[in-house]
Amino acid sequence: MSKPVILTGIRANNDLTIGNYFGGILPMIDMAKSKSDEYQINMFIPDLHSFTTPIDHSQLYEQILHNARLFVAAGLPLDNPNIFLYRQSYIPAHSELTWILDCFTGFGEMSRMTQFKDKSSGVSDGVSVGLFNYPVLMASDILLYNAKYIPLGDDQSQHLEFTRDIADRMNSRFGDVFTIPEAVKSQHEFFGKDQGLRIKDLIDPTKKMSKSDESGRGVIFLGDEPAVAAKKIMSATTDDLAEIHFDRNKQPGISNLLEILALLRGVKRDEVVAEFEGQTRYGDFKKVVADEVERFLTDFQTGLADVDDSAVIAKLEQSERDLVPIAEATLLRAQQAVGLRPKAN
Ligand code: ATP
Ligand code: MG
């Protein structure tokens, strides 16, 4: 029996933020390292998802490699044969299965997706069909590899439920074609409940820090010039209570900075809160956080510059070679089911 598959990816549409790093990449890498004895880990770069919203295409190819390098700089081992690192578009079955599933997906079903509603509202230069049906591509990403567990944030829960629905619909109609991934609830149980980490935007600490934020003024990107990032911390929005407490409702800005400092230092939040609780000089506190951010980015960027590109590319190509036959076997089952290929005897 092959090992059950855990599958995860981060869209390469922009440089990643410290939110993506602490809330996405690091937990993913920890998970990959701790579970790779028992599970097959598929970590992929969803490059076809990169331009569901407009991007600068002259940068895309480099951005994809850059994201792979980021994983390595953050500690992903390249020599673990149970961890696969691959680019979605290098495995054509993703696109092919998507088309088949598209034709069994309801227009109304996709219209109800809250991510579509969120990401399409306020877009002035046209909403693409790609943004509309990207959950179908996401379903293919999961179903092609018979994946069971997919660590996800709440914003993706609805898409996972759709994946289960479409897999179940195809199976009921055509027999056993797909493995159905576990439901959202058991995903949360499997990965532990503590998935709620959310670094907030520095300018508007009531919303989360996001890599596709328009201005980027409240966002720390992993590629930011360390001194520029430090300035962003110094101009973070705080409050006029003039006393440091961890209180997300009354002091969202200060609380966010406390959280960021704890993550950067790799210590528990309580420890940082105990150190600064009751202090009144916000400027001094911000300076501590700013220095820590500057140091973190300097170190991270040095590590990133040392990543061996040829090793990264070799890993990507090896994983892609290994996974193509698995993806194609699933695609063939789907093609046989709908009558595009003769049934096996
Ligand atoms: P986008 O605007 O493109 O949705 P994003 O920054 O929200 O960008 P996602 O691609 O949605 O990023 O998420 C990638 C990973 O980063 C996920 O694991 C998500 O949970 C995590 N993540 C995103 N933003 C934050 C944040 N502010 N704090 C902690 N984790 C985050
Ligand atoms: Mg997001």
Side-chain angles (χ1 to χ4, degrees):
M1 260 298 279
S2 53
K3 296 178 177 178
V5 175
I6 300 177
L7 179 140
T8 176
I10 292 190
R11 196 163 78 110
N13 59 332
N14 202 349
D15 194 8
L16 299 185
T17 71
I18 57 168
N20 301 137
Y21 180 81
F22 288 109
I25 301 184
L26 276 195
M28 229 184 243
I29 291 174
D30 285 347
M31 179 277 294
K33 289 202 280 203
S34 68
K35 299 220 189 270
S36 67
D37 286 344
E38 282 170 82
Y39 295 86
Q40 175 185 317
I41 315 289
N42 282 21
M43 293 187 58
F44 75 112
I45 301 176
D47 52 357
L48 294 169
H49 285 285
S50 299
F51 45 99
T52 51
T53 48
I55 58 159
D56 177 355
H57 287 268
S58 69
Q59 304 291 320
L60 179 59
Y61 187 74
E62 183 46 38
Q63 189 70 60
I64 292 162
L65 284 185
H66 182 68
N67 277 29
R69 280 186 214 115
L70 289 178
F71 285 126
V72 179
L76 184 75
L78 291 179
D79 58 357
N80 183 327
N82 291 325
I83 302 177
F84 293 86
L85 179 70
Y86 58 101
R87 294 160 290 189
Q88 182 189 35
S89 75
Y90 280 72
I91 303 184
H94 289 254
S95 304
E96 296 182 52
L97 181 60
T98 300
W99 177 256
I100 294 176
L101 297 182
D102 266 342
C103 298
F104 295 87
T105 299
F107 189 83
E109 203 171 16
M110 284 298 100
S111 312
R112 286 193 294 276
M113 294 292 163
T114 54
Q115 279 280 294
F116 174 69
K117 290 184 198 162
D118 288 354
K119 300 226 160 184
S120 58
S121 73
V123 175
S124 48
D125 46 356
V127 173
S128 72
V129 175
L131 182 66
F132 183 70
N133 80 336
Y134 95 80
V136 185
L137 178 57
M138 180 170 158
S140 302
D141 299 337
I142 295 169
L143 297 175
L144 279 174
Y145 305 97
N146 311 307
K148 269 285 190 206
Y149 292 105
I150 298 94
L152 31 79
D154 288 342
D155 53 349
Q156 297 297 326
S157 308
Q158 209 184 5
H159 299 158
L160 185 74
E161 289 307 327
F162 165 71
T163 303
R164 288 166 51 81
D165 288 347
I166 185 83
D168 187 49
R169 188 175 310 158
M170 299 298 279
N171 286 354
S172 329
R173 179 147 172 203
F174 298 108
D176 271 351
V177 185
F178 298 117
T179 303
I180 301 192
E182 296 287 334
V184 169
K185 187 163 169 288
S186 56
Q187 302 280 349
H188 286 309
E189 283 159 7
F190 180 76
F191 291 106
K193 287 274 177 210
D194 197 20
Q195 294 188 94
L197 169 70
R198 280 288 174 258
I199 292 185
K200 303 293 185 180
D201 186 88
L202 298 171
I203 301 294
D204 177 359
T206 59
K207 66 174 202 194
K208 89 175 183 89
M209 189 181 278
S210 169
K211 64 172 138 64
S212 52
D213 180 75
E214 297 257 315
S215 84
R217 285 193 309 134
V219 180
I220 307 243
F221 291 101
L222 293 174
D224 273 351
E225 195 70 53
V228 171
K231 285 211 185 77
K232 289 181 181 173
I233 297 281
M234 293 310 289
S235 35
T237 304
T238 50
D239 54 68
D240 50 18
L241 298 176
E243 206 176 289
I244 295 177
H245 293 286
F246 187 84
D247 183 331
R248 280 208 184 89
N249 295 322
K250 291 205 198 101
Q251 300 185 261
I254 286 289
S255 303
N256 191 37
L257 292 175
L258 287 164
E259 188 114 60
I260 290 174
L261 185 58
L263 289 165
L264 291 168
R265 287 182 173 174
V267 300
K268 289 217 177 333
R269 194 181 68 216
D270 291 351
E271 198 174 303
V272 168
V273 173
E275 184 180 338
F276 292 95
E277 180 98 69
Q279 292 191 16
T280 53
R281 296 160 69 104
Y282 284 3
D284 292 353
F285 168 58
K286 280 179 164 178
K287 181 77 172 62
V288 173
V289 185
D291 286 348
E292 202 77 52
V293 164
E294 198 166 338
R295 189 158 39 232
F296 165 76
L297 286 181
T298 306
D299 290 350
F300 183 77
Q301 290 170 7
T302 306
L304 188 62
D306 286 343
V307 171
D308 176 359
D309 271 12
S310 56
V312 173
I313 291 173
K315 175 72 177 179
L316 289 166
E317 290 177 347
Q318 184 61 51
S319 297
E320 287 150 9
R321 272 195 298 276
D322 291 343
L323 292 179
V324 160
I326 297 175
E328 284 190 345
T330 309
L331 176 65
L332 179 62
R333 286 202 303 280
Q335 290 170 323
Q336 287 170 329
V338 302
L340 289 168
R341 296 287 183 277
K343 288 233 157 60
N345 296 318

